[in-house]
Amino acid sequence: KIRKALRPLFNLDGREVIITASVGITVYPDDAPDADTDTLIKYADTAMYVAKAAGRDTYRFYTAQMNVSALEKLDLENALRKALDQDEFVLHYQPKIRIDSGVWTGVEALIRWNRPGHGLVAPGVFIPVLEETGLITPIGMWVIDAACRQISAWGLARIGSLQVAVNVSGKQFLQEGFVAAVAATIRRHNIDAELLEIEITESSLMSNTEETHAILRELNALGVSISIDDFGTGYSSLAYLRRFPIDKLKIDMAFIRDITTNADDAAITVAIISMAHILKLTVIAEGVESEEQLEFLRRHGCDEFQGYYLSRPLPVVDLEKLHRKTSAASSPHAKV
C-alpha cells in the first residue's frame, strides 16, 4: 500500500517528481523477544538496506541471516581498513605474451589480500567492499606504487625491463590529483614511464568522457601506456576510441571462453581484432585456456594473450622462474 501510494507523480514547484520506496519490515514477536522499539527499528533498517541492494522500490522482511551477513560485512570492512597499514596486501603477476613469437611483452599486476587467519582472500570478495567504502583509492595507489617498485627491481635484475599493467577503478581514475600522484610515483622509483601501463574498463572510459579524455591525455604526455580492459562488454563508440589516446584493447574473457564453439563470440572477437588494428591498437586476449583458443587467435591476427594456458597469476619468485623457463625458448606453448 505504501509503494502504491507513492507511485503517482508528485508536483513540486511545477516539476513532476517520481518517488519510490525501499521498505524493510520486522515483526514482533518473531524477530525480537520483547517490544524493544530500538531493536525492531535496527532490524527493519537492516532489511531496508537489503531491499535497496535488491534493486530498490521493493520490500524485504528481516531474517536472522541478514544480521549475520551485516556483521560479517562490517568485520570485513574493519579488517580491510587495517590491512594496508599492516602490510597484508601483495601483488601477483600474470604474463602477457606475443602470439606470433612467444616473447613476453609484460605482466598484469593483480592484488591479493593475505588476511591473517584466512589465507589469501579472493579479489571478488574484497574489491567490491573497497569500491563501496572508498578504500579503493588509497589501496589503488598502493598497487601503483608496488608495481613501480617491482619494475625498478626487475630493471636492476636479470629479468630486465618488463612492462607492468595495473587495473585502475573508475573512482580512482577520476580522483583529483591522480595523474600527479602517478607522476610522483614514477619519479620516486626512477623508472621509465612507458614501463607502467594503466588499465581502465570500457565502462569507466565512457562514464565521464570529457574528464576521462583530459586525464588520458595527461597520462599519455607522461609516457604511460593506456589499455582498455574488458573490451566488448560496454558501449564504446568508434568515435571515442579514435579520439582517446589509447594503446591497447583487451578482449573480455567472456568472448574468448567459447570462441571455438560459439559462432557469435568468434565473430565478435574477429571484429574487435580487425577494428583495433584499423585504429592501430594492440589487441590482447584475456582468459586463454587452451591450444585451440590460442590457434584461433593466431589465425585471426590477435597480437597478445594472457591466461591459464600459460600461467595463472603468480607471486614474484614463481613468475621469475617461469620467465627464465619460457624466455629461453620464446614459445607460448610452455605451460605450468
Side-chain angles (χ1 to χ4, degrees), residues 1 41 59-60 86 158 169 232:
K1 287 180 180 179
I41 288 176
Y59 61 89
R60 289 292 184 271
Q86 295 178 357
R158 181 179 174 184
S169 76

PDB file of all heavy atoms in Angstrom, residues 1 41 59-60 86 158 169 232:
ATOM      1  N   LYS A   1       0.837  -1.206   0.000  1.00  0.00           N
ATOM      2  CA  LYS A   1       0.000   0.000   0.000  1.00  0.00           C
ATOM      3  C   LYS A   1       0.875   1.260   0.000  1.00  0.00           C
ATOM      4  O   LYS A   1       0.552   2.239  -0.688  1.00  0.00           O
ATOM      5  CB  LYS A   1      -0.928  -0.004   1.220  1.00  0.00           C
ATOM      6  CG  LYS A   1      -2.078  -0.998   1.120  1.00  0.00           C
ATOM      7  CD  LYS A   1      -2.942  -0.929   2.360  1.00  0.00           C
ATOM      8  CE  LYS A   1      -4.101  -1.919   2.265  1.00  0.00           C
ATOM      9  NZ  LYS A   1      -4.948  -1.877   3.496  1.00  0.00           N
ATOM     10  N   ILE A  41      13.533  -1.465  15.141  1.00  0.00           N
ATOM     11  CA  ILE A  41      13.887  -0.481  14.103  1.00  0.00           C
ATOM     12  C   ILE A  41      15.250  -0.825  13.500  1.00  0.00           C
ATOM     13  O   ILE A  41      15.463  -0.703  12.284  1.00  0.00           O
ATOM     14  CB  ILE A  41      13.880   0.944  14.689  1.00  0.00           C
ATOM     15  CG1 ILE A  41      12.434   1.372  14.959  1.00  0.00           C
ATOM     16  CG2 ILE A  41      14.555   1.932  13.731  1.00  0.00           C
ATOM     17  CD1 ILE A  41      12.304   2.724  15.617  1.00  0.00           C
ATOM     18  N   TYR A  59      10.444  -4.465  -1.145  1.00  0.00           N
ATOM     19  CA  TYR A  59      10.449  -4.620   0.313  1.00  0.00           C
ATOM     20  C   TYR A  59      11.058  -5.974   0.678  1.00  0.00           C
ATOM     21  O   TYR A  59      11.086  -6.904  -0.120  1.00  0.00           O
ATOM     22  CB  TYR A  59       9.036  -4.513   0.888  1.00  0.00           C
ATOM     23  CG  TYR A  59       8.080  -5.568   0.385  1.00  0.00           C
ATOM     24  CD1 TYR A  59       7.951  -6.794   1.038  1.00  0.00           C
ATOM     25  CD2 TYR A  59       7.302  -5.343  -0.749  1.00  0.00           C
ATOM     26  CE1 TYR A  59       7.080  -7.764   0.571  1.00  0.00           C
ATOM     27  CE2 TYR A  59       6.429  -6.302  -1.225  1.00  0.00           C
ATOM     28  CZ  TYR A  59       6.325  -7.512  -0.554  1.00  0.00           C
ATOM     29  OH  TYR A  59       5.470  -8.479  -1.023  1.00  0.00           O
ATOM     30  N   ARG A  60      11.595  -6.039   1.873  1.00  0.00           N
ATOM     31  CA  ARG A  60      12.145  -7.282   2.408  1.00  0.00           C
ATOM     32  C   ARG A  60      11.795  -7.406   3.878  1.00  0.00           C
ATOM     33  O   ARG A  60      11.853  -6.430   4.630  1.00  0.00           O
ATOM     34  CB  ARG A  60      13.680  -7.313   2.260  1.00  0.00           C
ATOM     35  CG  ARG A  60      14.174  -7.474   0.821  1.00  0.00           C
ATOM     36  CD  ARG A  60      13.838  -8.850   0.273  1.00  0.00           C
ATOM     37  NE  ARG A  60      14.395  -9.051  -1.061  1.00  0.00           N
ATOM     38  CZ  ARG A  60      13.781  -8.743  -2.198  1.00  0.00           C
ATOM     39  NH1 ARG A  60      12.579  -8.174  -2.156  1.00  0.00           N
ATOM     40  NH2 ARG A  60      14.360  -8.978  -3.354  1.00  0.00           N
ATOM     41  N   GLN A  86      48.986  -2.673   7.912  1.00  0.00           N
ATOM     42  CA  GLN A  86      49.653  -3.871   8.421  1.00  0.00           C
ATOM     43  C   GLN A  86      50.323  -4.687   7.315  1.00  0.00           C
ATOM     44  O   GLN A  86      50.738  -5.831   7.531  1.00  0.00           O
ATOM     45  CB  GLN A  86      48.640  -4.732   9.193  1.00  0.00           C
ATOM     46  CG  GLN A  86      48.121  -4.023  10.439  1.00  0.00           C
ATOM     47  CD  GLN A  86      47.072  -4.812  11.206  1.00  0.00           C
ATOM     48  OE1 GLN A  86      46.667  -5.896  10.782  1.00  0.00           O
ATOM     49  NE2 GLN A  86      46.620  -4.279  12.334  1.00  0.00           N
ATOM     50  N   ARG A 158      68.181  -9.718 -13.436  1.00  0.00           N
ATOM     51  CA  ARG A 158      68.364 -10.467 -14.680  1.00  0.00           C
ATOM     52  C   ARG A 158      67.147 -10.382 -15.598  1.00  0.00           C
ATOM     53  O   ARG A 158      67.277 -10.389 -16.813  1.00  0.00           O
ATOM     54  CB  ARG A 158      68.662 -11.928 -14.333  1.00  0.00           C
ATOM     55  CG  ARG A 158      68.903 -12.811 -15.544  1.00  0.00           C
ATOM     56  CD  ARG A 158      69.209 -14.227 -15.103  1.00  0.00           C
ATOM     57  NE  ARG A 158      69.313 -15.122 -16.250  1.00  0.00           N
ATOM     58  CZ  ARG A 158      69.504 -16.429 -16.152  1.00  0.00           C
ATOM     59  NH1 ARG A 158      69.629 -16.995 -14.969  1.00  0.00           N
ATOM     60  NH2 ARG A 158      69.568 -17.178 -17.241  1.00  0.00           N
ATOM     61  N   SER A 169      40.427   1.595 -10.924  1.00  0.00           N
ATOM     62  CA  SER A 169      38.968   1.738 -10.891  1.00  0.00           C
ATOM     63  C   SER A 169      38.566   3.106 -11.415  1.00  0.00           C
ATOM     64  O   SER A 169      39.342   4.064 -11.368  1.00  0.00           O
ATOM     65  CB  SER A 169      38.452   1.558  -9.461  1.00  0.00           C
ATOM     66  OG  SER A 169      38.719   2.722  -8.695  1.00  0.00           O
ATOM     67  N   GLY A 232      34.357  -4.908 -25.108  1.00  0.00           N
ATOM     68  CA  GLY A 232      33.274  -5.676 -25.723  1.00  0.00           C
ATOM     69  C   GLY A 232      32.067  -5.797 -24.825  1.00  0.00           C
ATOM     70  O   GLY A 232      30.985  -6.178 -25.273  1.00  0.00           O
TER      71      GLY A 232
END
